[in-house]
Amino acid sequence: MAAPILRHLTTPFPAFVKLNETPKIQSFFTLSTHPNSRKFSRGTSISVSAMASATKKVLVPIANGTEPIEAIVPIDILRRAGAEVIVASVGNQLQIEVMYGIKIVADVLITDCVDTEFDLISLPGGVPGAANLGNCKILESIVKKQAENGKLYAAICAAPAIALGSWGLLKGLKATCYPSYMEELSSHAIAVESRVQKDAKVVTSRGPATSIEYAVALVEELYGKEKANEVSGPLVMRPNHSEEFAFAELNSVNWTLTSKPRILVPIANGSEEMEATIIIDVLRRANAQVVVASMEDKLEIVASRKVKLVADVLLDEAAKQSYDLIVLPGGLGGAETFAKSEKLVDMLKKQRESSKPYGAMCASPALVLEPHGLLQGKKATAFPALCNKLSDPSEAENRVVVDGNLVTSRGPGTTMEFALAIADKFIGHKETLELAKEMIF
């Protein structure tokens, strides 16, 4: 077998920056003793230990045109940390179509949040999503109240400039945003180019590919560095962002495709929402025709961290078509459903027999592909705790492995690399570099 070829995408960047770290005790709040965080709970009589275990309440508003990665990644990671995250639609209905045709069902309408107190409010970006958030007077009132009460608020991508900046909530503070909005941001704040920027009670970030760093920074602000480290470990985050992105490629072949790649992404109850969303988002950015198929008896599924996603079709309908690629997100519950589906497994086997590309990540290589013989004679990787289930784990330490027509990857923090590796095979290296740059990879 040929030695793996390492393919690279290089994107150095400045580190997460924090400013104004000196703790200040504010009236009516109890301050955490953790030196790297500010954690508050109402009432000065509450002890630090009781406060540390209290559930934090977080608001994530979404609108038509919201960038889905920037919304779903913080929701997922903050829920992993134990926060009660409320997803609120700023529209008139709970189901929202965000960017790239992805549909999310919110928990409540923003009007239901007026009298609720939050420990953190996080605004996703996207166009026109950030503008729709910025134009929502109810949301503006809620976030201004958050600022007046000295509580955390945050935004990513276009939202720091279009929402927080236009509301006057960044005056005198260092903040960052998506590159094309930096000039607008500079009229409202001290604009800096950090991937994640913390100043006083505000956290800002740059774009889709900085969303995981941003979300972990929010966990640290709410719960402290120890909890942030605990949450970030299973994400399989990039260990050093100044290093090159690479995927291992063995037995290189050209992936044959139609004029516009047709890709099937199945989702089920328990699928990992970060992984599914990033795959769909990135591949649709790469101009692929992505069909999202529900494995359930209805289009709406409830993902592993309770994000409600709406598929395009049911699997029975999707199975009537052929695909240039079938790719499975992870998530334990979702992977178990995939593995039990005779129809999906049959589709995957036919894909392999036809020498067409197929792939999986996180739990799915070990729990779906391996038991059904779909990794036979192939090198693959999977979620670290499941790599012992692979018959050949010799390349499993790689974050992404491409072996001929098979592509596999490890976990939420490798999903962007996984999707970019797929794009590289379909649209070429130069175009993929541009795509990575667009997402602030």
Side-chain angles (χ1 to χ4, degrees):
M1 182 169 286
I5 301 169
L6 291 180
R7 304 290 297 278
H8 300 284
L9 293 169
T10 307
T11 317
F13 69 97
F16 167 30
V17 178
K18 288 188 174 187
L19 301 170
N20 300 331
E21 277 298 321
T22 305
K24 295 181 180 180
I25 300 178
Q26 302 186 18
S27 60
F28 200 56
F29 292 93
T30 301
L31 181 65
S32 167
T33 57
H34 194 291
N36 294 322
S37 66
R38 300 178 183 82
K39 297 186 289 187
F40 302 95
S41 61
R42 283 189 221 75
T44 54
S45 63
I46 297 178
S47 68
V48 170
S49 60
M51 178 274 308
S53 63
T55 299
K56 305 293 185 180
K57 188 167 286 191
V58 178
L59 173 65
V60 177
I62 59 173
N64 290 329
T66 286
E67 214 302 320
I69 296 173
E70 295 163 4
I72 288 174
V73 168
I75 295 166
D76 184 317
I77 291 177
L78 286 161
R79 284 177 175 168
R80 286 170 181 255
E84 180 187 349
V85 182
I86 297 171
V87 184
S89 164
V90 303
N92 296 321
Q93 56 188 17
L94 295 178
Q95 183 172 309
I96 293 290
E97 183 167 327
V98 294
M99 291 179 73
Y100 305 106
I102 295 172
K103 302 179 186 69
I104 305 172
V105 180
D107 303 316
V108 298
L109 299 178
I110 194 65
T111 50
D112 300 320
C113 300
V114 173
D115 297 323
T116 305
E117 294 188 8
F118 296 98
D119 298 284
L120 165 68
I121 299 173
S122 173
L123 308 185
V127 178
N132 289 334
L133 296 181
N135 291 332
C136 177
K137 296 301 182 184
I138 295 173
L139 178 62
E140 179 180 354
S141 174
I142 290 171
V143 182
K144 283 184 173 179
K145 179 181 176 183
Q146 184 85 355
E148 290 166 3
N149 290 339
K151 293 186 176 182
L152 283 167
Y153 54 103
I156 185 170
C157 195
I162 293 179
L164 297 185
S166 68
W167 296 337
L169 297 179
L170 296 177
K171 290 180 180 177
L173 298 175
K174 286 191 175 182
T176 192
C177 71
Y178 194 75
S180 59
Y181 289 90
M182 289 292 281
E183 184 175 349
E184 182 174 347
L185 180 67
S186 65
S187 65
H188 303 298
I190 303 166
V192 296
E193 293 187 359
S194 306
R195 286 175 69 86
V196 180
Q197 180 69 46
K198 167 72 170 65
D199 196 351
K201 290 292 182 179
V202 185
V203 180
T204 52
S205 190
R206 306 214 80 186
T210 70
S211 296
I212 292 182
E213 301 150 69
Y214 168 73
V216 171
L218 297 180
V219 171
E220 183 174 338
E221 291 304 314
L222 282 178
Y223 292 101
K225 192 166 185 63
E226 184 177 350
K227 173 61 76 173
N229 289 339
E230 175 190 322
V231 169
S232 63
L235 299 177
V236 200
M237 292 176 67
R238 294 172 71 194
N240 186 341
H241 287 270
S242 65
E243 294 180 353
E244 294 180 341
F245 157 72
F247 63 91
E249 182 166 21
L250 306 102
N251 303 310
S252 180
V253 297
N254 291 325
W255 286 10
T256 57
L257 65 154
T258 52
S259 58
K260 184 175 183 179
R262 186 173 174 83
I263 299 172
L264 177 66
V265 180
I267 57 174
N269 292 335
S271 287
E272 217 302 320
E273 45 267 87
M274 273 193 280
E275 295 169 2
T277 300
I278 293 171
I279 291 167
I280 298 162
D281 183 310
V282 173
L283 295 179
R284 283 180 174 166
R285 285 173 181 262
N287 201 35
Q289 183 180 352
V290 180
V291 177
V292 183
S294 170
M295 303 292 298
E296 310 300 333
D297 58 4
K298 60 180 180 178
L299 294 178
E300 183 180 318
I301 66 101
V302 180
S304 60
R305 265 73 198 183
K306 309 305 179 188
V307 171
K308 287 168 265 187
L309 299 173
V310 181
D312 303 319
V313 295
L314 300 180
L315 183 67
D316 284 350
E317 183 65 25
K320 297 174 183 178
Q321 304 293 325
S322 61
Y323 299 91
D324 296 294
L325 169 71
I326 299 174
V327 61
L328 312 181
L332 184 60
E336 290 172 343
T337 298
F338 297 158
K340 293 174 184 175
S341 170
E342 292 183 8
K343 188 176 294 268
L344 179 60
V345 170
D346 184 59
M347 292 175 72
L348 288 163
K349 287 182 176 179
K350 288 179 179 176
Q351 196 81 359
R352 177 183 167 114
E353 290 164 4
S354 302
S355 297
K356 288 185 174 182
Y358 61 103
M361 67 174 301
C362 195
S364 290
L367 300 185
V368 185
L369 301 187
E370 181 68 47
H372 291 288
L374 290 161
L375 296 183
Q376 186 175 357
K378 294 287 190 180
K379 305 287 187 181
T381 188
F383 189 72
L386 295 174
C387 282
N388 60 354
K389 294 183 179 295
L390 301 177
S391 55
D392 183 355
S394 59
E395 295 292 334
E397 291 302 312
N398 290 293
R399 294 171 65 79
V400 181
V401 178
V402 178
D403 187 352
N405 287 318
L406 171 70
V407 56
T408 54
S409 190
R410 309 208 80 186
T414 71
T415 313
M416 189 74 71
E417 295 148 89
F418 179 62
L420 288 171
I422 292 169
D424 190 287
K425 295 296 295 183
F426 275 134
I427 66 174
H429 194 60
K430 181 181 177 181
E431 292 78 4
T432 303
L433 283 169
E434 288 301 312
L435 179 59
K437 182 179 178 181
E438 173 188 315
M439 294 184 296
I440 322 297
F441 188 82

